């Protein structure tokens, strides 16, 4: 799980936690989490982050309702991230 992983920064973990909270039904984002993000992101960035998460939730629910499944185009594909300083082999 990302929360205990050393592969994510504290900010990345907070963003993932935010995405998780926005994905649950009902949506309940803890005030403390929102405040932590507001300390790192501008108002415009928070709007963009929230809109992006909401859009992905919309698309997932839309596809699910219509029974649209993955076509396997990205199977085995991933987006490589640069190794953070001090975390390399």
């Amino acid at each position: 799980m990302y929360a205990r992983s050393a592969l994510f920064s504290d900010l990345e973990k907070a963003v993932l936690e935010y995405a998780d909270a926005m994905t649950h039904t009902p949506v309940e984002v803890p005030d403390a989490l929102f405040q932590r993000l507001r300390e790192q992101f501008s108002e415009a960035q928070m709007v963009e982050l929230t809109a992006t998460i909401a859009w992905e939730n919309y698309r997932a629910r839309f596809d699910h309702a219509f029974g649209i499944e993955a076509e396997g185009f990205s199977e085995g594909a991933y987006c490589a991230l640069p190794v953070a300083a001090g975390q390399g082999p």
Side-chain angles (χ1 to χ4, degrees):
M1 177 170 205
Y2 68 85
R4 292 183 293 277
S5 174
L7 299 175
F8 298 100
S9 70
D10 288 341
L11 180 57
E12 290 168 329
K13 289 176 184 179
V15 168
L16 289 168
E17 184 180 349
Y18 186 51
D20 278 347
M22 285 186 60
T23 302
H24 291 149
T25 302
V27 174
E28 293 182 12
V29 176
D31 290 340
L33 172 59
F34 193 82
Q35 184 55 40
R36 279 196 338 247
L37 292 170
R38 287 287 289 134
E39 291 170 2
Q40 299 296 316
F41 296 116
S42 68
E43 186 173 332
Q45 290 171 321
M46 283 299 297
V47 169
E48 186 171 348
L49 175 63
T50 303
T52 300
I53 294 167
W55 176 250
E56 291 304 323
N57 275 306
Y58 164 82
R59 289 182 350 151
R61 290 172 187 252
F62 183 94
D63 290 351
H64 183 73
F66 279 96
I68 299 170
E69 300 293 331
E71 295 293 325
F73 296 121
S74 62
E75 188 172 319
Y78 60 93
C79 180
L81 297 175
V83 175
Q87 292 186 350

